[in-house]
Amino acid sequence: MLPFQKTSVYVQALTTVHEILQSLEKKDAPLIKNKIEEEGMNLTANVAKAFANPEQKDHGLHFEKAEESIHGIMALLDLSAKNSDMTAEEKEEIFKKLNGLRNNLAGFKSKQKRIMILSAELGQGHMSVSKAIKEAFEHNYGHDYDVEIIDFQEVISSFINSFTKSTYESWVKFTPSLYKLLYESTNTRVPLIKLLNQVNYPFVLTKLTKFFQEKNPDLVISTYPVWSYLASEIRKKTNKNAKFVSVITDSITIHNSWVIADNDYLLVANNDTATSIHKLGVPYEKIKVLGYPVRLDFIQKTDREKFLEEIGLNPKKFTVLFLPTSQQQRKNIRIINSLTENNKYNVIVITGRDSKLRPKLEKYGNKTNVKIFGWTDQMPTFIKSCDLVITKAGGSTVMECVAAGKPIIITSIIPGQEAGNAELIQRYHLGVIAEPAQKDIAGDVEFIRKNYTAFTRKIAKMSRPQAALDIADFLSGLL
């Protein structure tokens, strides 16, 4: 179902037209009924067109045409009342519904709730969560909510954003010890991230005040914690009635920066993370365990056999998906060599946007059981079609695998930030954490393959692929 079909004013238009045509079913006015049916089709079509383009902000033109159809239907009903056995009470009841629809069309933009998701293009997790929440709102409520994802770090400073991205990507890949030092030094009882926000406050106050006033959100959602304190303080000055909610993108080991903002609620993936948040001083009534938001594609069934055949693999073979992100190429080559030593498994490698890595792996694509891909928007299908995923301990990737019911082998862990995700896997036997110096990862693959049923049973207990929908419902309740 398309988003416009869930939008309340479209549902109202469709229902109103249907009820009018039903009321005329037994009336002796077939020509007028046909004309009303035609106007009704124009009415619903124009309401649909108003929402056809998700980025379209001005619905005015199509709403005006829809209102013209409402006037046309009213005129035809007047004529019908004179030339059929329609009573004055029946006509009045239909006019009441049409006037209600017209008022809702006229007031749609003023009633539409505005939701602003503050995120960051730092890694994949923060934006992935943001997009899943936006998608869930559209699935549940159509366009009744105006949901906008903002790279908030870019709003604050494009220079800081560019520097942070390049530094982060370099440190986690080549010098993880430096990143660990940064993570631990800012994760203190006296939150240095809060101090960073406070120091920057006077310099960005005017800019961000104008930004919040223009956006005028009813709800602010943070999926990236570094600037949440700053956002929550300015929100209180400009939009004091707006709710402020953080969606935690990691498990168990939680950085202090997540709790320094004035949050109305913090949404977490599991009870273990709720306990960690509570230990940081957040009362349980502010913590909601609603699961980790992943794309709605993970709810849908996938024809595994058909997909694997389409990409040239034998669906009868055990299939391994390797996502070689954020780790050195030498390590990636070693893992692929281990996986492809024999013809035992299907091996799918997705290099993503790493343009330097893919050319080095093309030679492996000559094997009938190995397929190399670059960037893809079909990641849910790949994950659901494989039997096992080898990846790093990123929050979104781990939770996508859990949502799909797939065991995981973790090959690298960003210190601090991803340690809790790895701990979750170990604690609940969702997969295996490979030893850093291990050269034969095929041994871990074989271990999981032999104990596959036990692993998938454990994962099924943790899997919540519908979490984004539950989160959208909860947030809608706040508004």
Side-chain angles (χ1 to χ4, degrees):
M1 186 175 286
L2 296 173
F4 78 84
Q5 294 172 299
K6 290 284 187 76
T7 308
S8 59
V9 74
Y10 175 79
V11 174
Q12 184 185 8
L14 206 63
T15 303
T16 301
V17 170
H18 177 70
E19 289 175 351
I20 291 171
L21 293 175
Q22 270 196 326
S23 68
L24 293 172
E25 197 68 43
K26 296 179 181 180
K27 305 300 179 186
D28 187 23
L31 292 177
I32 291 176
K33 184 192 170 188
N34 289 341
K35 284 290 185 183
I36 289 177
E37 188 172 9
E38 186 179 320
E39 287 289 2
M41 290 177 64
N42 289 335
L43 167 59
T44 53
N46 275 300
V47 176
K49 287 176 183 177
F51 302 109
N53 181 358
E55 303 304 319
Q56 183 174 307
K57 300 297 182 182
D58 182 14
H59 310 291
L61 178 61
H62 294 298
F63 280 175
E64 285 176 12
K65 290 182 178 179
E67 188 171 356
E68 288 174 8
S69 292
I70 290 174
H71 285 299
I73 293 172
M74 285 179 165
L76 289 165
L77 286 169
D78 273 330
L79 188 59
S80 177
K82 294 175 183 178
N83 295 278
S84 73
D85 57 351
M86 177 178 284
T87 66
E89 290 77 14
E90 288 175 325
K91 189 184 83 168
E92 183 180 350
E93 182 63 26
I94 293 174
F95 272 41
K96 184 178 178 181
K97 291 176 180 177
L98 287 168
N99 281 322
L101 174 59
R102 181 170 57 186
N103 291 336
N104 283 341
L105 286 170
F108 178 80
K109 286 304 293 181
S110 62
K111 292 179 182 178
Q112 190 184 35
K113 297 294 185 180
R114 290 171 292 280
I115 299 174
M116 189 164 67
I117 304 178
L118 305 181
S119 192
E121 292 278 5
L122 203 65
Q124 300 297 320
H126 305 292
M127 276 294 174
S128 177
V129 163
S130 302
K131 291 173 182 177
I133 294 171
K134 178 180 170 70
E135 182 186 24
F137 266 102
E138 291 181 349
H139 179 276
N140 286 357
Y141 306 104
H143 297 288
D144 285 345
Y145 295 93
D146 180 7
V147 184
E148 185 176 8
I149 300 173
I150 309 280
D151 186 339
F152 194 54
Q153 193 157 255
E154 181 70 21
V155 173
I156 291 172
S157 169
S158 58
F159 172 76
I160 291 176
N161 193 27
S162 178
F163 176 77
T164 303
K165 284 180 185 178
S166 60
T167 303
Y168 172 81
E169 290 169 2
S170 176
W171 282 13
V172 299
K173 193 169 187 177
F174 301 109
T175 54
S177 58
L178 280 177
Y179 181 81
K180 181 181 180 182
L181 179 64
L182 175 65
Y183 183 94
E184 292 177 348
S185 65
T186 57
N187 191 26
T188 56
R189 287 187 174 275
V190 180
L192 293 182
I193 296 294
K194 184 174 181 178
L195 179 61
L196 175 67
N197 279 242
Q198 290 171 329
V199 167
N200 279 276
Y201 185 89
F203 301 103
V204 296
L205 177 59
T206 301
K207 180 181 181 179
L208 294 186
T209 297
K210 182 180 178 183
F211 174 78
F212 271 82
Q213 287 173 338
E214 288 177 350
K215 297 295 182 182
N216 192 26
D218 298 286
L219 169 66
V220 180
I221 304 170
S222 174
T223 65
Y224 177 67
V226 172
W227 300 106
S228 289
Y229 176 82
L230 192 60
S232 68
E233 291 303 298
I234 295 177
R235 177 264 312 187
K236 284 190 283 187
K237 289 181 177 293
T238 58
N239 308 77
K240 61 181 180 181
N241 294 322
K243 299 291 185 179
F244 195 96
V245 175
S246 287
V247 180
I248 312 299
T249 57
D250 286 308
S251 289
I252 303 178
T253 53
I254 304 301
H255 196 279
N256 268 290
S257 58
W258 282 109
V259 303
I260 60 177
D262 186 9
N263 288 287
D264 291 289
Y265 292 98
L266 293 102
L267 311 187
V268 299
N270 45 64
N271 290 320
D272 303 70
T273 308
T275 301
S276 298
I277 293 288
H278 180 63
K279 287 179 180 178
L280 293 176
V282 180
Y284 274 120
E285 56 266 26
K286 282 194 170 188
I287 305 170
K288 298 295 178 182
V289 182
L290 298 176
Y292 193 97
V294 297
R295 288 171 57 180
L296 301 187
D297 288 342
F298 284 97
I299 300 175
Q300 308 300 323
K301 289 185 178 180
T302 291
D303 189 335
R304 174 186 183 273
E305 186 171 323
K306 180 181 178 182
F307 180 74
L308 292 179
E309 286 177 348
E310 284 177 350
I311 63 174
L313 293 175
N314 180 359
K316 294 181 180 180
K317 280 191 174 184
F318 191 84
T319 300
V320 178
L321 173 63
F322 178 37
L323 308 176
T325 56
S326 298
Q327 57 189 19
Q328 293 185 23
Q329 289 186 13
R330 183 172 54 187
K331 184 174 185 179
N332 290 326
I333 297 295
R334 189 174 72 227
I335 290 170
I336 292 175
N337 281 333
S338 177
L339 292 172
T340 58
E341 276 182 339
N342 53 51
N343 202 33
K344 198 169 187 178
Y345 316 116
N346 288 328
V347 179
I348 302 171
V349 184
I350 299 179
T351 61
R353 292 186 170 88
D354 191 338
S355 58
K356 294 181 180 179
L357 176 60
R358 187 174 180 181
K360 295 181 182 296
L361 305 183
E362 290 294 349
K363 64 179 181 180
Y364 295 95
N366 295 327
K367 297 187 176 184
T368 58
N369 65 316
V370 180
K371 298 296 174 183
I372 311 294
F373 297 90
W375 183 86
T376 177
D377 60 357
Q378 289 187 286
M379 189 62 77
T381 303
F382 277 102
I383 292 176
K384 289 186 293 179
S385 298
C386 74
D387 297 295
L388 166 69
V389 180
I390 301 176
T391 183
K392 76 183 188 73
S396 281
T397 305
V398 166
M399 289 305 180
E400 286 172 353
C401 294
V402 172
K406 305 301 177 180
I408 314 159
I409 295 177
I410 296 299
T411 57
S412 62
I413 304 166
I414 296 177
Q417 177 183 330
E418 294 180 351
N421 303 326
E423 185 178 340
L424 186 78
I425 291 169
Q426 287 184 308
R427 186 179 295 182
Y428 293 100
H429 308 288
L430 311 178
V432 173
I433 310 300
E435 293 296 328
Q438 183 175 333
K439 295 183 178 181
D440 182 23
I441 204 165
D444 286 335
V445 174
E446 191 62 18
F447 173 74
I448 288 179
R449 191 184 69 79
K450 288 180 179 178
N451 298 279
Y452 199 72
T453 301
F455 276 106
T456 53
R457 282 176 181 168
K458 296 284 187 182
I459 296 168
K461 294 178 181 178
M462 299 286 291
S463 180
R464 293 183 69 171
Q466 81 292 346
L469 299 177
D470 296 337
I471 288 171
D473 281 342
F474 171 76
L475 295 174
S476 175
L478 300 181
L479 301 174

